[in-house]
């Protein structure tokens, strides 16, 4: 937790002498990202995958059938291979996943950027799955005197499996609290001009640093099952709008700048076109130089570093491609922090000074 001033404590001049000491009058900002295992070993991976894949927002299936599939098959077979994948990107200095390292950095830098605007602000961070947990950090913010909390799901595009489950967990915690803080849940920012400009500026900078010019650039977003979209989830529409606005800002054609979806899981049809299939087809068609960015991720993680930078790079090169670049996410760079700061200040309106 990063604070900007000592907690506001009720004093004897404002409360009866026998009243318990309480902290109040502060404003919390809680950044929340998806999560990461605590280690790459089998049991750490199993605990993380069990929490994640048990969420009915993530897997919308018959609960009894899914319980059997998850516990009898997936949690038996998947932790080992996924642990090896995490091992390739693990921050060994801190002994943690890069998502945790970056999210912590985003919280610390946000506190430094906005603390001077209002001394009551307290910035903290949490993971929806794993640690630090949302319930623990919400409780910590309240104990620090935050009777108002802005929760910021770090997903530019809304999906029930990401943004909504953050709200679910927050309200689950609030339901158990005697003194509930007032809570705001930041909306998505898929078409925010600050976000689009930051993506474009970041991409342009990375392209200039390459020793080649990509023939095709893919904007790869995390996928969701097609059935979720058909039930009314706005995620696909928001991804399409982000890609269109970014392409227009860059002044690129639809042929050069394309939208794809990655990370499908299971046998069900997901949003298309699929990233891996597109990469393979383009390489086989004669495309020799390619770059991929991930506009839907605010921080690099397994899906960007290993799946894009590892798996998809290998697919491209194995099928005839020659030059491949995985463009880093905005992370806690100046451009990335410009976006988070803009979102937070917009949603704190009426709570903070000026």
């Amino acid at each position: 937790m990063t604070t900007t001033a000592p907690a506001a404590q009720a004093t004897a001049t404002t409360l009866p002498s026998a009243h318990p000491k309480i902290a109040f009058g502060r404003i919390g900002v809680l950044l929340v990202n998806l999560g990461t295992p605590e280690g790459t070993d089998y049991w750490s991976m199993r605990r993380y995958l069990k929490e994640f894949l048990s969420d009915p927002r993530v897997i919308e299936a018959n609960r009894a059938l899914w319980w059997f599939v998850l516990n009898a098959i997936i949690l038996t077979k998947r932790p080992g291979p996924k642990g090896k994948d995490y091992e390739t990107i693990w921050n060994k200095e801190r002994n943690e996943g890069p998502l945790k390292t970056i999210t912590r950095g985003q919280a610390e830098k946000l506190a430094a950027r906005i603390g001077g605007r209002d001394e009551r602000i307290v910035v903290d961070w949490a993971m929806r799955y794993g640690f630090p947990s949302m319930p623990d950090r919400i409780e910590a913010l309240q104990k620090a005197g935050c009777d108002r909390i802005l929760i910021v799901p770090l997903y530019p595009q809304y999906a029930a499996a990401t943004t909504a489950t953050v709200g679910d967990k927050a309200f689950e915690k609030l339901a158990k609290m005697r003194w509930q803080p007032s809570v705001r849940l930041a909306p998505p920012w898929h078409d925010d001009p600050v976000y689009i400009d930051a993506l474009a500026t970041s991409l342009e900078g990375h392209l200039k640093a390459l020793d080649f010019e990509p023939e095709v650039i893919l904007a790869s977003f995390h996928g969701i099952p097609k059935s979720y979209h058909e039930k009314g989830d706005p995620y696909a529409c928001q991804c399409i709008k982000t890609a269109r606005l970014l392409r227009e800002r860059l002044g690129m054609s639809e042929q050069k700048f394309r939208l794809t979806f990655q990370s499908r899981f299971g046998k069900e049809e997901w949003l298309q076109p699929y990233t891996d299939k597109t990469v393979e087809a383009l390489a086989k068609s004669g495309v020799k130089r390619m770059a991929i960015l991930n506009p839907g991720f605010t921080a690099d993680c397994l899906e960007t570093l290993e799946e894009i930078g590892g798996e998809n790079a290998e697919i491209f090169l194995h099928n005839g491609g020659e030059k491949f670049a995985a463009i880093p996410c905005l992370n806690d760079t100046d451009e990335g922090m410009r976006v988070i700061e803009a979102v937070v200040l917009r949603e704190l309106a009426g709570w903070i000074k000026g």
Side-chain angles (χ1 to χ4, degrees):
M1 184 186 301
T2 305
T3 63
T4 58
Q9 290 283 344
T11 67
T13 59
T14 57
L15 294 174
S17 59
H19 197 286
K21 291 183 178 180
I22 56 173
F24 63 91
R26 308 201 71 186
I27 300 167
V29 177
L30 184 64
L31 304 183
V32 181
N33 219 319
L34 186 79
T36 179
E38 290 300 292
T40 61
D41 59 282
Y42 177 88
W43 290 106
S44 293
M45 286 302 312
R46 182 185 171 95
R47 284 190 293 271
Y48 172 70
L49 290 173
K50 184 173 184 178
E51 181 183 9
F52 176 48
L53 296 176
S54 293
D55 191 333
R57 291 277 197 183
V58 176
I59 304 295
E60 297 181 14
N62 177 283
R63 301 318 296 170
L65 176 61
W66 178 244
W67 184 94
F68 174 78
V69 172
L70 177 62
N71 287 276
I73 302 174
I74 295 175
L75 294 181
T76 299
K77 298 181 178 181
R78 197 168 176 83
K82 294 307 292 183
K84 292 179 181 178
D85 289 343
Y86 268 98
E87 185 67 26
T88 66
I89 66 165
W90 202 248
N91 182 342
K92 293 180 172 58
E93 182 179 347
R94 287 181 175 265
N95 191 27
E96 63 187 20
L99 187 68
K100 183 174 288 189
T101 304
I102 296 166
T103 306
R104 181 192 297 108
Q106 289 168 329
E108 292 173 350
K109 290 184 178 181
L110 179 65
R113 293 171 76 104
I114 69 173
R117 289 177 173 268
D118 194 311
E119 68 279 359
R120 297 171 298 166
I121 294 175
V122 182
V123 178
D124 206 346
W125 60 284
M127 295 292 164
R128 172 58 186 87
Y129 310 100
F131 301 96
S133 74
M134 282 185 62
D136 286 351
R137 300 328 299 162
I138 290 173
E139 184 173 338
L141 284 169
Q142 188 197 41
K143 288 181 177 179
C146 297
D147 44 39
R148 284 173 284 183
I149 300 175
L150 169 65
I151 299 175
V152 185
L154 291 173
Y155 312 114
Q157 295 78 24
Y158 174 97
T162 53
T163 311
T165 192
V166 170
D168 291 345
K169 201 65 177 180
F171 301 138
E172 178 184 299
K173 173 61 178 178
L174 291 173
K176 301 174 182 177
M177 299 177 75
R178 179 170 297 278
W179 184 4
Q180 291 181 338
S182 296
V183 170
R184 291 178 179 174
L185 194 67
W189 56 90
H190 64 284
D191 57 357
D192 190 303
V194 177
Y195 164 62
I196 299 300
D197 184 67
L199 287 173
T201 301
S202 175
L203 176 59
E204 288 167 341
H206 283 102
L207 291 179
K208 287 180 182 178
L210 296 178
D211 63 356
F212 67 95
E213 180 180 350
E215 298 166 70
V216 176
I217 298 173
L218 300 185
S220 179
F221 294 82
H222 199 292
I224 61 171
K226 184 180 178 182
S227 61
Y228 295 11
H229 171 67
E230 292 172 340
K231 292 174 184 177
D233 199 303
Y235 178 73
C237 298
Q238 293 187 2
C239 291
I240 291 169
K241 188 172 185 181
T242 294
R244 175 178 62 79
L245 292 173
L246 181 53
R247 185 179 65 248
E248 291 173 353
R249 164 64 174 76
L250 293 165
M252 294 182 180
S253 68
E254 293 185 27
Q255 187 69 16
K256 180 165 185 175
F257 189 91
R258 308 185 189 190
L259 164 71
T260 59
F261 295 96
Q262 65 181 82
S263 308
R264 65 188 183 280
F265 174 77
K267 298 181 179 180
E268 184 177 355
E269 182 181 357
W270 282 43
L271 296 178
Q272 295 193 44
Y274 298 139
T275 298
D276 56 354
K277 297 299 183 183
T278 301
V279 168
E280 180 180 355
L282 286 170
K284 288 181 176 179
S285 73
V287 172
K288 300 299 183 183
R289 304 180 305 277
M290 174 184 290
I292 302 182
L293 72 154
N294 297 100
F297 294 82
T298 53
D300 276 308
C301 54
L302 187 72
E303 288 78 7
T304 65
L305 298 172
E306 195 277 331
E307 184 178 353
I308 297 300
E311 292 178 22
N312 279 273
E314 184 176 346
I315 291 171
F316 184 67
L317 299 174
H318 180 74
N319 287 282
E322 296 176 357
K323 297 279 189 176
F324 181 92
I327 306 298
C329 294
L330 293 176
N331 296 322
D332 58 353
T333 63
D334 287 344
E335 293 301 332
M337 294 314 305
R338 182 160 65 92
V339 177
I340 295 174
E341 179 181 8
V343 171
V344 168
L345 291 180
R346 179 185 69 202
E347 299 307 319
L348 286 177
W351 278 7
I352 63 173
K353 303 170 185 177

